[in-house]
Amino acid sequence: MPDTTPSLLPAPPQPALQADDALAVAGYGAPLLLAVERLLAAPAATGAAQRLVAEMDNIRQAMSARDARQIRRSAGLFGRLLGRDVEAQLQAEQLARQLDICLLRADGSLQELQHELAQHLLQLVRVEAAVAAIDDWAAAGEAVPAPADTLAQAALQRRLQHLRGLARLRQTEAGQLRLLHAQAVELIERYQRIRDVLLPLWRQQLLANQAARMPATLAQAADAQARILDEVTAMQARLR
């Protein structure tokens, strides 16, 4: 994606400023800071990561619906006394019936989160450009010969320190954006591993278990059918 961010931020003037001009010293860097504020308006958060985590937890619960023993263990003794294991079992069974709906919602949150990732990267580029621009202005101001007036010199030093401080704050913001980006990437990878690898394996194992139980189920059904037939035959014999 081409980026024109640097061109949106003004370069330091040449010469940087008239050090003996009190107004120029007090407002040094103001055009840059105004441009930075406009450039770095934070993108609106959509909460996609939180929704994806919530759906991943729903999927986890759905997959545990057939493991009542694990649900009881998770509830603990006090929880079982309060009936929380029964509530958890009912919720897991309901989610198991809605598993495909959970996946659809999770896929929607995934797409939103991927869009947020692109916004994070763009914002990171802009923040890094802002840091570089603020440092350039500070360096240009520091290269100006010190004013002869003591008060003007002190005012210039405060202004330059202010610019350097803002640059460091923006560096911290860039670090936070990198962290958010890394966390979102990890979350996406975890969900894709659950959806594309673990969930199909779980469903395959479920089918295998059902198939393994099939002969016994068929035998039980045949036995029940035979008993029903015996009962019907006996009733017909009595009616003759």
Side-chain angles (χ1 to χ4, degrees):
M1 177 186 299
D3 182 70
T4 58
T5 296
S7 65
L8 300 177
L9 298 175
Q14 297 295 332
L17 78 160
Q18 296 295 325
D20 55 353
D21 185 340
L23 286 177
V25 169
Y28 181 68
L32 169 66
L33 298 182
L34 180 60
V36 166
E37 289 301 319
R38 290 173 177 170
L39 180 67
L40 300 184
T46 66
Q50 290 82 356
R51 287 194 297 276
L52 181 56
V53 170
E55 292 302 337
M56 288 171 66
D57 188 60
N58 287 339
I59 293 169
R60 177 194 62 78
Q61 291 184 63
M63 293 173 67
S64 69
R66 294 177 179 271
D67 193 351
R69 186 180 304 173
Q70 176 59 36
I71 291 176
R72 286 195 297 272
R73 284 200 299 267
S74 299
L77 176 60
F78 188 67
R80 291 196 297 273
L81 291 175
L82 294 176
R84 290 174 182 167
D85 57 328
V86 177
E87 294 176 1
Q89 180 69 49
L90 292 174
Q91 183 177 5
E93 291 173 357
Q94 181 179 4
L95 289 170
R97 292 191 295 269
Q98 300 174 349
L99 182 55
D100 289 336
I101 296 176
C102 293
L103 287 170
L104 285 175
R105 288 198 300 257
D107 286 345
S109 297
L110 174 67
Q111 291 178 357
E112 292 180 18
L113 185 55
Q114 288 172 331
H115 177 71
E116 280 191 14
L117 276 181
Q119 294 300 313
H120 286 162
L121 289 177
L122 179 59
Q123 187 75 353
L124 178 59
V125 169
R126 289 174 174 173
V127 171
E128 289 177 339
V131 170
I134 296 172
D135 279 336
D136 286 345
W137 277 69
E142 290 166 352
V144 173
D149 181 73
T150 305
L151 293 178
Q153 185 176 358
L156 178 58
Q157 289 302 315
R158 286 196 299 271
R159 190 62 179 171
L160 295 177
Q161 289 174 0
H162 177 66
L163 290 175
R164 292 293 190 187
L166 289 177
R168 303 293 78 77
L169 285 175
R170 293 299 183 181
Q171 276 187 332
T172 301
E173 181 182 352
Q176 292 172 342
L177 285 169
R178 291 190 191 93
L179 179 61
L180 285 174
H181 182 269
Q183 290 174 341
V185 168
E186 181 182 1
L187 178 57
I188 288 173
E189 290 175 348
R190 286 181 181 277
Y191 171 67
Q192 289 176 330
R193 186 160 57 248
I194 289 173
R195 193 191 198 291
D196 300 335
V197 179
L198 299 180
L199 191 57
L201 284 175
W202 173 76
R203 282 176 161 162
Q204 184 179 7
Q205 185 62 44
L206 198 62
L207 290 174
N209 291 340
Q210 291 174 346
R213 291 194 298 268
M214 189 62 69
T217 302
L218 290 175
Q220 291 173 356
D223 181 62
Q225 183 178 357
R227 291 186 181 186
I228 292 172
L229 180 59
D230 289 343
E231 292 293 338
V232 171
T233 301
M235 288 176 59
Q236 290 172 339
R238 290 179 182 178
L239 293 174
R240 288 173 183 170

